[in-house]
């Protein structure tokens, strides 16, 4: 509520055009300051899972591969070349001109150390699934390695290109000990091979980076242009806007649509709306475990699909870069087919289906949500038009995920970012393979999704996904809603391309 | 007097323990801490693993007892989120909040006490009406709103002060004013009311009759008695500022205890939350204890009650 009230002044300031000119501070001292609302106290990509550290990880460390955001293909980064030997074996030729920030050369032993260390459960990396698909790595030459997979895993390239930053051999051996006598791996001084190196970490406040002059040439990340990069935590959105307008910071995101439009109208900062890999979905209590038996009836779920005007929510609330989806994944993800039976906005058809299901006199239930309250309020408003009364329970993510997994929610609207992995398995492979997150535990769907996640042939994968998604859509276990779009606002002097995976490439930025 | 103070100290410690115990329990009501720790994208296996590693599968009372025993020995534990010793985190963050709270309470006292005295000396005068008007506005104006007004004029329009950070004394001006202004109405009203009452008492009339200088009567005799409740209120408000400056610290991105407490709640960093409650409770006890001592110095009658 406080945030709602606090929208007032900065919007007024922007609308009245009182603010004088965009800042030049960033360009003048060659320092790009970006800020979000979240702190990243741990500057290590394996011991922190915040989005901010994914970005910093991509800036300070390199992976064997890198996804070309224009073509969607994977290009060698620390590798010179790569090839599939079979569907469980990958060969890599490594670059021989790469050095870590501490000056030591990069080689096959570093890759072997990285995989051996991170896949060892005792070391407690926070996202084990990013690495546990690898069985082992062996050296096959002075500058070559072979990765053996646990099983066929088509998303391997996606993970290698994004979620497996290479650590120097022995990096964690120097970890300080905690009072309990356990090694504190997260406290080891960062040392990557990326375009920027970390020079200072002030927990809760900032992470300071500077351009790595020894960065290897002709890599897919290019050569960094801006000398200094600072990440700051500024919790309050209006303060971030005020700092952007006064030159304290150069780059922000997650600007609410209304404020973004007003900021754009001033012409003082660059504002962009760009898609992200995050999707919104509504899940139904298909087995009636919440005590509300209404959603066991397929017709009720179908009625909801017709009653909710998803396109209107996208157009009016989410942003121009967002789109309505029909399947449980993001259309940009590999394997994410969309051509299954969809549901048009048709309130009359919704009313007819509800009547057929015996709810012509109305239906009352609890809907749960944790993010972008206005999106769920729009859903409630649409449902009210067909005689359905939904009571909103808005809560924190951790509380909602817990009760959703217990099956205590009749209907919940949630979101999923797929770990930024551009593969359908990052979403469908989480929610429809059985278990606590699966709303239906439909054996046929589970079988198809698991199979699709382990087939390397894309055409075969898409066929399997399509069959599974058709069942999900027909039975409306989920109502996939829309993809998310983010508003970015940044210094007009900054030349930077926004990408759809919520990983800003600051190493490509330059001053105009 | 010693017995009196020891008794109050004992009660305060019990209050701190009770508060920490309630906080300890309430945190669980906001959801499973293992899920919060694991993050949005965590698998069920990862969540269960975290639950076991951090001992959240044990009964709450056992967890509380374990924590309390270690805290008594000076071990505040380790932050789940920040991955570092809680004591070192608190040592880093507490100064920012202490500086902010001290600046804010100083601003509030410097503004409100002279204004309260001036208003009491001349009731219904222009200065009295101004003071009461300021108090009404201060009570009606939410601190976050006032903070945004300050940012709007002082930073966005006039470019006089920095908005965020703690790098220089200038960074603390706006947050201290925004936080202190919230305290001003209460202190000013209490000073005015106390002075009005004292100035009409017999001993003031006697002091005037003895021919003492008006300033001596006012500040040595009247204010000394009128300020006793103000000292207590200021102590309470100072304690409130230490733990309750969340909004101001958030708006001005001050990396202090209030902000840390709020963040810790959001990410279910239980050891950190427990330590913050304990430390702030102890500060509160010390502040109110010092206020009692000061009041006992100002009014000797308190020493025998």
């Amino acid at each position: 509520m406080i945030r709602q009230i606090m929208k007032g002044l900065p919007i007024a300031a922007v609308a009245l055009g009182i603010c004088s000119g965009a800042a030049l501070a960033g360009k003048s001292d060659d320092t790009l300051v970006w800020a979000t609302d979240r702190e990243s106290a741990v500057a290590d990509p394996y011991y922190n899972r915040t989005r901010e550290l994914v970005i910093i990880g991509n800036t300070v460390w390199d992976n064997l591969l890198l996804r070309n955001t224009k073509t969607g293909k994977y290009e060698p980064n620390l590798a010179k070349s790569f090839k599939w030997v079979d569907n469980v074996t990958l060969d890599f030729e490594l670059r021989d001109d790469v050095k870590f920030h501490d000056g030591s050369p990069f080689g096959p032993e570093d890759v072997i150390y990285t995989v051996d260390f991170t896949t060892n459960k005792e070391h407690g990396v926070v996202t084990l699934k990013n690495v546990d698909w690898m069985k082992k790595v062996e050296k096959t030459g002075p500058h070559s390695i072979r990765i053996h997979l646990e099983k066929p895993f088509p998303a391997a390239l996606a993970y290698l290109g994004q979620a497996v930053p290479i650590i120097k051999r022995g990096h964690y051996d120097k970890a300080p000990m905690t009072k309990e006598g356990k090694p504190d791996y997260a406290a080891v001084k960062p040392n990557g091979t990326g375009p920027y190196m970390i020079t200072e970490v002030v927990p809760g406040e900032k992470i300071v980076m500077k351009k790595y002059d020894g960065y290897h040439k002709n890599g897919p990340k290019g050569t960094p242009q801006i000398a200094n990069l600072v990440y700051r935590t500024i919790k309050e959105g209006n303060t971030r806007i005020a700092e952007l307008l006064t030159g304290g910071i150069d780059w922000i995101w997650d600007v609410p649509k209304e404020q973004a439009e007003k900021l754009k109208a001033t012409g003082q900062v660059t504002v962009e709306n760009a898609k992200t890999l995050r999707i919104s979905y509504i899940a139904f209590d298909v087995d009636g475990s919440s005590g509300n038996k209404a959603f066991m009836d397929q017709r009720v779920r179908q009625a909801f699909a017709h009653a909710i005007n998803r396109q209107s929510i996208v157009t009016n609330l989410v942003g121009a870069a967002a789109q309505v989806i029909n399947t449980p994944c993001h259309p940009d993800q590999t394997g994410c087919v969309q051509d299954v039976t969809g549901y048009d906005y048709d309130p009359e058809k919704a009313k007819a289906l509800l009547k057929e299901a015996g709810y012509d006199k109305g239906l009352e239930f609890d809907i749960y949500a944790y993010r972008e309250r206005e999106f769920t309020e729009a859903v409630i408003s649409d449902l009210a038009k067909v005689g359905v009364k939904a009571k909103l329970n808005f809560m924190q993510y951790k509380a909602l995920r817990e009760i959703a997994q217990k099956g205590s929610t009749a209907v919940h609207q949630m979101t999923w970012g797929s770990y930024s992995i551009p593969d359908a398995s990052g979403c469908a492979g989480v929610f429809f393979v059985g278990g606590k997150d699966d709303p239906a535990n439909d054996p046929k769907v589970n079988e198809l999704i698991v199979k699709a996640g382990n087939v390397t042939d894309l055409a075969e994968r898409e066929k399997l996904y399509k069959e599974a998604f058709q069942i999900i859509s027909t039975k409306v276990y989920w109502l996939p809603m829309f993809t998310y779009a983010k508003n970015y606002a940044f210094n007009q002097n900054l030349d930077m391309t926004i990408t759809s995976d919520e990983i800003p490439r600051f190493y490509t930025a330059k001053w105009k | 007097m010693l017995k009196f103070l020891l008794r109050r100290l004992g009660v305060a410690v019990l209050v701190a323990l009770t508060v920490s115990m309630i906080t300890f329990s309430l945190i669980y009501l906001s959801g499973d801490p293992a899920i919060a720790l694991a993050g949005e994208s965590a698998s069920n296996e990862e969540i269960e693993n975290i639950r076991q590693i951090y001992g959240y599968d044990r009964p709450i009372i056992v967890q509380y007892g374990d924590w309390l025993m270690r805290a008594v020995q000076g071990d505040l534990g380790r932050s789940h989120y920040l991955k570092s010793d809680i004591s070192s985190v608190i040592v880093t963050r507490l100064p920012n909040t202490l500086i902010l709270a001290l600046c804010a309470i100083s601003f509030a006292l410097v503004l409100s006490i002279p204004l309260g005295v001036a208003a009491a000396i001349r009731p219904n005068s222009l200065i009295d009406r101004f003071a009461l008007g300021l108090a009404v506005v201060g009570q009606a104006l939410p601190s976050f709103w006032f903070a945004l007004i300050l940012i709007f004029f002082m930073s966005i329009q006039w470019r006089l002060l920095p908005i965020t950070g703690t790098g220089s004394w200038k960074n603390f001006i706006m947050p201290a004013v925004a936080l202190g202004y919230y305290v001003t109405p209460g202190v000013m009203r209490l000073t005015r009311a106390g002075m009005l009452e004292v100035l009409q008492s017999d001993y003031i009339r006697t002091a005037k009759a003895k021919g003492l200088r008006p300033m001596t009567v006012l500040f040595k005799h009247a204010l000394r008695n009128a300020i006793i409740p103000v000292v207590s209120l200021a102590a309470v408000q100072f304690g409130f500022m230490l733990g309750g400056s969340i909004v101001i610290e958030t708006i001005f991105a001050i990396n202090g205890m209030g902000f840390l407490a709020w963040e810790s709640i959001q990410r279910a960093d239980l050891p950190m939350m427990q330590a913050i409650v304990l430390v702030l409770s102890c500060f509160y006890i010390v502040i109110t204890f010092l206020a009692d001592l000061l009041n006992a110095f100002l009014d000797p009658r308190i020493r025998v009650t």
Side-chain angles (χ1 to χ4, degrees):
Chain A
M1 181 182 168
I2 287 175
R3 282 176 183 274
Q4 295 290 321
I5 297 168
M6 287 166 79
K7 281 180 180 175
L9 267 184
I11 289 175
V14 173
L16 291 170
I18 292 171
C19 326
S20 54
L24 295 170
K27 186 177 182 179
S28 63
D29 60 8
D30 205 6
T31 300
L32 195 171
V33 183
W34 60 289
T36 75
D37 63 347
R38 210 159 6 173
E39 67 177 276
S40 281
V42 174
D44 185 294
Y46 287 110
Y47 291 95
N48 188 320
R49 69 164 86 238
T50 61
R51 165 68 38 184
E52 285 69 13
L53 219 284
V54 170
I55 297 163
I56 291 169
N58 196 41
T59 309
V60 176
W61 284 268
D62 281 322
N63 290 253
L64 290 173
L65 307 176
L66 186 73
R67 182 170 177 262
N68 184 319
T69 52
K70 287 177 186 161
T71 64
K73 300 209 178 305
Y74 293 92
E75 298 173 351
N77 187 6
L78 287 177
K80 261 186 196 169
S81 63
F82 68 98
K83 65 173 180 184
W84 283 100
V85 178
D86 54 45
N87 62 4
V88 288
T89 314
L90 270 162
D91 272 358
F92 292 85
E93 279 292 324
L94 303 180
R95 292 182 71 123
D96 55 7
D97 59 346
V98 175
K99 286 187 175 172
F100 284 93
H101 297 153
D102 67 355
S104 54
F106 158 77
E109 292 79 9
D110 300 308
V111 183
I112 295 168
Y113 175 82
T114 300
V115 175
D116 286 350
F117 183 89
T118 56
T119 52
N120 185 338
K121 286 182 182 174
E122 288 179 10
H123 294 145
V125 301
V126 293
T127 311
L128 195 60
K129 79 178 290 298
N130 283 350
V131 289
D132 67 358
W133 50 273
M134 289 181 280
K135 192 174 178 182
K136 67 169 182 173
V137 182
E138 61 177 323
K139 188 175 174 180
T140 51
H143 290 289
S144 58
I145 55 153
R146 171 168 288 183
I147 296 179
H148 298 274
L149 280 58
E150 289 282 357
K151 59 183 178 181
F153 186 56
L157 299 184
Y159 280 86
L160 285 173
Q162 167 59 42
V164 191
I166 302 302
I167 304 297
K168 185 186 154 188
R169 58 190 172 281
H171 176 73
Y172 293 113
D173 297 354
K174 299 166 192 166
M177 302 300 275
T178 65
K179 281 180 184 171
E180 295 80 24
K182 293 178 181 172
D184 185 2
Y185 299 123
V188 179
K189 190 182 171 191
N191 179 28
T193 60
Y196 283 84
M197 54 197 289
I198 292 175
T199 56
E200 186 187 6
V201 179
V202 182
E205 202 170 312
K206 63 181 176 182
I207 293 177
V208 182
M209 290 154 272
K210 73 170 185 180
K211 185 168 70 175
Y212 175 40
D213 291 329
Y215 190 61
H216 57 272
K217 309 291 180 199
N218 306 318
K221 287 185 179 177
T223 304
Q225 300 290 309
I226 294 173
N228 305 297
L229 190 57
V230 179
Y231 162 63
R232 286 192 59 197
T233 303
I234 300 178
K235 196 76 188 172
E236 172 49 42
N238 295 310
T239 307
R240 287 197 297 275
I241 290 176
E243 281 281 27
L244 179 69
L245 290 167
T246 54
I249 55 179
D250 302 294
W251 189 99
I252 59 175
W253 67 5
D254 281 334
V255 182
K257 189 167 182 276
E258 187 186 3
Q259 285 177 310
E261 285 167 358
K262 289 192 165 72
L263 270 173
K264 196 170 188 173
T266 67
Q268 294 174 355
V269 290
T270 304
V271 178
E272 280 191 29
N273 181 262
K275 60 184 174 180
T276 77
L277 270 188
R278 185 167 295 278
I279 64 162
S280 171
Y281 66 90
I282 286 179
F284 298 99
D285 176 20
V286 179
D287 60 8
S289 56
S290 69
N292 189 328
K293 307 296 180 191
F295 301 99
M296 295 172 76
D297 191 322
Q298 186 174 308
R299 291 166 297 185
V300 174
R301 304 195 297 267
Q302 286 174 329
F304 273 46
H306 281 300
I308 298 166
N309 192 343
R310 292 176 289 165
Q311 188 56 54
S312 171
I313 296 173
V314 165
T315 306
N316 297 304
L317 297 175
V318 191
Q323 67 181 98
V324 170
I325 52 171
N326 292 318
T327 59
C329 48
H330 192 289
D332 285 358
Q333 290 178 313
T334 303
C336 185
V337 293
Q338 287 290 309
D339 57 333
V340 297
T341 308
Y343 294 87
D344 295 333
Y345 175 57
D346 189 344
E348 292 309 315
K349 200 167 184 179
K351 282 180 191 171
L353 281 162
L354 284 168
K355 189 176 179 182
E356 202 180 306
Y359 294 100
D360 48 320
K361 289 182 180 171
L363 167 64
E364 290 189 18
F365 70 101
D366 282 2
I367 186 168
Y368 294 77
Y370 78 102
R371 184 173 164 148
E372 282 86 25
R373 188 185 181 106
E374 63 271 27
F375 296 174
T376 311
E377 284 172 345
V379 168
I380 291 170
S381 171
D382 282 342
L383 291 173
K385 290 172 191 164
V386 297
V388 175
K389 193 175 176 184
K391 182 186 163 198
L392 176 59
N393 295 268
F394 197 78
M395 54 181 63
Q396 287 193 14
Y397 174 79
K398 61 180 186 286
L400 179 49
R401 184 165 186 197
E402 186 182 4
I403 62 169
Q405 287 187 335
K406 284 179 182 168
S408 308
T409 57
V411 178
H412 59 257
Q413 182 173 14
M414 292 182 81
T415 78
W416 190 250
S418 295
Y419 323 102
S420 285
I421 297 297
D423 189 279
S425 62
C427 187
V430 172
F431 291 97
F432 291 97
V433 288
K436 289 182 183 176
D437 286 313
D438 192 331
N441 283 312
D442 183 321
K444 181 65 180 168
V445 171
N446 296 350
E447 183 195 333
L448 290 164
I449 298 283
V450 169
K451 203 171 172 185
N454 293 320
V455 170
T456 46
D457 180 76
L458 183 58
E460 177 65 13
R461 288 188 79 201
E462 287 185 342
K463 193 180 159 198
L464 291 164
Y465 275 134
K466 186 174 177 179
E467 192 180 344
F469 293 168
Q470 185 62 53
I471 299 171
I472 293 166
S473 185
T474 305
K475 299 197 172 179
V476 202
Y477 295 142
W478 253 34
L479 178 60
M481 295 284 284
F482 46 79
T483 60
Y484 264 71
K486 251 185 170 107
N487 288 309
Y488 301 74
F490 47 95
N491 188 333
Q492 275 190 318
N493 289 314
L494 194 62
D495 180 0
M496 188 173 155
T497 304
I498 301 299
T499 54
S500 65
D501 56 2
E502 293 182 83
I503 304 175
R505 272 79 172 165
F506 291 114
Y507 48 81
T508 64
K510 55 183 183 240
W511 301 114
K512 287 179 183 168
Chain B
M1 181 185 168
L2 184 65
K3 193 177 170 186
F4 167 74
L5 287 175
L6 283 175
R7 194 167 63 238
R8 294 192 71 171
L9 197 61
V11 170
V13 170
L14 280 176
V15 168
L17 283 174
T18 308
V19 168
S20 69
M21 194 159 60
I22 292 169
T23 309
F24 195 97
S25 310
L26 285 178
I27 288 167
Y28 278 84
L29 295 179
S30 68
D32 187 335
I35 293 178
L37 265 177
E40 277 195 32
S41 307
S43 67
N44 295 326
E45 291 72 24
E46 287 169 336
I47 292 169
E48 189 55 41
N49 194 29
I50 283 174
R51 192 173 284 124
Q52 287 174 8
I53 287 172
Y54 291 107
Y56 292 138
D57 50 347
R58 298 176 300 163
I60 293 178
I61 191 71
V62 174
Q63 293 180 48
Y64 177 71
D66 183 41
W67 166 77
L68 196 61
M69 286 304 292
R70 283 190 285 111
V72 169
Q73 296 166 46
D75 178 9
L76 291 173
R78 189 171 167 77
S79 164
H80 290 165
Y81 183 81
L82 299 174
K83 310 285 183 197
S84 53
D85 286 338
I86 287 169
S87 51
S88 64
V89 175
I90 288 179
V91 164
T92 311
R93 313 258 175 136
L94 193 57
N96 285 337
T97 300
L98 276 176
I99 292 169
L100 174 61
L102 279 170
C103 292
I105 199 75
S106 302
F107 168 76
L109 295 178
V110 165
L111 181 69
S112 57
I113 292 177
L115 212 53
V117 171
I121 293 169
R122 288 192 169 78
N124 299 317
S125 67
L126 196 63
I127 186 84
D128 188 24
R129 286 175 189 173
F130 171 73
L132 289 174
L134 205 66
V136 169
V137 173
Q139 281 173 324
L141 203 67
S143 57
F144 63 82
W145 183 254
F146 186 47
L148 288 171
I149 289 175
L150 287 173
I151 290 173
F152 179 72
F153 285 107
M154 304 303 286
S155 300
I156 296 179
Q157 196 169 21
W158 298 329
R159 306 286 173 105
L160 294 174
L161 293 169
I163 301 171
T164 58
T166 53
S168 84
W169 59 272
K170 285 183 180 176
N171 289 100
F172 286 95
I173 294 177
M174 284 198 291
V177 169
L179 189 62
Y181 189 57
Y182 183 72
V183 176
T184 302
V187 176
M188 201 281 293
R189 280 176 182 276
L190 203 59
T191 307
R192 180 182 177 274
M195 284 297 285
L196 276 175
E197 189 183 337
V198 169
L199 287 173
Q200 289 166 8
S201 62
D202 291 342
Y203 78 91
I204 293 295
R205 200 175 302 120
T206 305
K208 286 179 181 171
K210 279 164 66 180
L212 292 176
R213 288 189 304 153
M215 294 303 272
T216 307
V217 173
L218 202 60
F219 289 106
K220 191 172 178 186
H221 296 279
L223 186 59
R224 182 166 179 154
N225 281 301
I227 209 162
I228 288 169
V230 175
V231 170
S232 299
L233 178 66
V236 170
Q237 292 291 1
F238 186 69
F240 163 77
M241 284 173 177
L242 286 176
S245 56
I246 294 169
V247 172
I248 295 300
E249 287 186 5
T250 302
I251 290 175
F252 293 100
I254 292 173
N255 203 9
M257 291 288 280
F259 185 58
L260 179 66
W262 186 52
E263 286 282 272
S264 303
I265 292 169
Q266 283 204 319
R267 53 201 180 208
D269 193 347
L270 293 186
M272 182 62 83
M273 266 310 300
Q274 290 145 10
I276 290 170
V277 170
L278 189 70
V279 168
L280 292 180
S281 300
C282 290
F283 258 94
Y284 205 83
I285 291 162
V286 171
I287 292 161
T288 48
F289 183 73
L290 290 175
D292 284 343
L293 283 180
L294 183 59
N295 279 341
F297 167 75
L298 291 170
D299 186 354
R301 288 173 297 178
I302 291 174
R303 298 175 205 171
V304 294
T305 56

